[in-house]
Amino acid sequence: MCCTFITVCPGSMLMLVFLTFPQDYYGKTLKKTSDLKSNACLAPSQPIPAFILKALKKIHPEVTAKYYGCGLVVPECLEGCRLLDLGSGSGRDCYMLSQLVGEKGHVTGIDMTEDQLEVARKYVDHHTQEFGYEKPNVDFVQGYIEALKEAGLKENSFDIIISNCVVNLSPDKRKVLSDAYRVLKDGGELYFSDVYSSSKLSDEIKNHKVLWGECLGGALWWEDLVRLAQEVGFSPPRLVTANVVTVDNMELEAVLGDYKFVSATYRLFKIPKISNKGSLVIYNGNITGFEESLEFDSQYTFKVDEVVEVDGEVASILSHSRFAEEFTFQPPGLPAGCSVKKPKVCTNTRTIAPNVS
């Protein structure tokens, strides 16, 4: 038996809490990144910007060694933000992001694994001193990503939530999304990387211990992500990047058969009802690390001072989120003397769907 479910009834609400297997796998079985049995949690990411590499170099080696994510999850425009990391593990991303939000910002990490939290908490003072801060701007909470309220995280309290290859480990992904929506402020964003499957997985794969721990057995079919996100209240998921996962383990490949997987990053926003009116926008170039251009997602890249025509969905996201001050908005209709940059030709489905062929 790979997992145990405990039924809890807070009030009239029935909630499942959770897998015990990942706690053992990530706390005891895995001691370092090289102990992973596939490369699903090591899928290649986009080139890392210099300012992020600089931040990563300041993180203690033990924290980095016990990091098991499937990419690097770094949204833009972070200064002064309150940020939550779901499944923070050893704290690598939290410590990297704590430098990007600055002393006036704050990063909270939540994880269910005591062994991982022990590593993360061990170096709070070390990193506070390393970053030159007067007091820590990071804290770590033990709890489940499906039970943020029970972990003491308040409603409407975070600007951004990130997650790196963790949602697939949850048996109740809808609850993960609904709890994330609850603790986000209006205009807030869930920006996360995870592993997705080409179709719904069989029970054999879902119940396979190692495949679950390796981020494959719990992978969500990408179409289910779209459905669940919108049921909860988020804007339609916008695909940022996607990379094909190759398992490179003959024993696991035999079990997986024809299933294919991608490591993909999506962004979901908590915004009012999306307008059907497009807009002309101009990126002002004031976001640290993105002074010349901002690659918002797989469809839109904004170059500084260039007029870009965006659809109603993106116009609503930009105008109701932390990005509002980073753009100049113009109503539809071309001002004299301006040229308009059209986005990449792309159907709505391609904007959402990773290529798993």
Side-chain angles (χ1 to χ4, degrees), residues 1 38 57 90 106 150 190 217 275 278 304-305 314 354:
M1 186 93 177
S38 76
K57 289 178 180 178
S90 67
H106 191 273
E150 289 74 12
L190 172 58
S275 170
V304 67
D305 294 334
V314 173

Side-chain angles (χ1 to χ4, degrees), residues 203-253:
D203 288 341
E204 179 188 8
I205 291 174
K206 290 180 180 179
N207 295 326
H208 194 287
K209 277 187 172 183
V210 175
L211 287 176
W212 193 275
E214 294 284 324
C215 304
L216 297 173
L220 194 64
W221 182 32
W222 68 267
E223 288 194 11
D224 282 339
L225 169 67
V226 175
R227 175 181 57 80
L228 291 174
Q230 295 188 262
E231 286 177 2
V232 165
F234 280 111
S235 60
R238 298 198 65 87
L239 178 66
V240 181
T241 62
N243 297 286
V244 174
V245 170
T246 56
V247 178
D248 298 333
N249 180 299
M250 293 181 65
E251 182 180 347
L252 297 183
E253 286 177 341

Side-chain angles (χ1 to χ4, degrees), residues 303-319:
K303 294 182 179 179
V304 67
D305 294 334
E306 183 177 75
V307 182
V308 179
E309 182 179 357
V310 299
D311 58 34
E313 180 181 309
V314 173
S316 296
I317 289 171
L318 295 178
S319 61

Side-chain angles (χ1 to χ4, degrees), residues 322-341:
R322 68 187 186 281
F323 292 101
E325 295 182 0
E326 310 302 333
F327 286 83
T328 300
F329 296 85
Q330 301 176 13
L334 180 62
C338 289
S339 60
V340 178
K341 175 73 173 181

Side-chain angles (χ1 to χ4, degrees), residues 250-262:
M250 293 181 65
E251 182 180 347
L252 297 183
E253 286 177 341
V255 178
L256 290 171
D258 293 331
Y259 285 106
K260 292 180 172 56
F261 300 86
V262 295

Side-chain angles (χ1 to χ4, degrees), residues 23-24 28 41 43 55 81 85 88 115 148 161 170 196 244 290 297 302 304 306 313 321 354-355:
Q23 288 178 279
D24 290 334
K28 298 184 175 78
C41 293
C81 288
D85 183 4
S88 54
D115 295 303
L148 300 183
I161 298 176
S170 170
Y196 297 90
V244 174
F290 303 91
D297 59 21
F302 302 104
V304 67
E306 183 177 75
E313 180 181 309
S321 69
N355 185 353

Side-chain angles (χ1 to χ4, degrees), residues 122-191:
K122 180 179 177 181
Y123 294 104
V124 170
D125 291 340
H126 167 85
H127 289 103
T128 302
Q129 184 177 359
E130 178 69 23
F131 303 158
Y133 293 166
E134 291 186 5
K135 61 181 181 179
N137 71 339
V138 177
D139 71 311
F140 296 96
V141 177
Q142 185 166 23
Y144 298 100
I145 64 175
E146 306 90 335
L148 300 183
K149 181 179 180 180
E150 289 74 12
L153 302 180
K154 297 181 180 179
E155 187 175 355
N156 301 318
S157 56
F158 294 98
D159 300 293
I160 307 164
I161 298 176
I162 69 161
S163 175
N164 195 345
C165 210
V166 171
V167 175
N168 68 83
L169 296 173
S170 170
D172 191 349
K173 295 170 177 61
R174 190 185 196 284
K175 189 64 166 59
V176 174
L177 295 178
S178 64
D179 266 31
Y181 189 88
R182 185 186 65 84
V183 302
L184 277 173
K185 299 177 184 178
D186 289 340
E189 177 183 14
L190 172 58
Y191 185 100

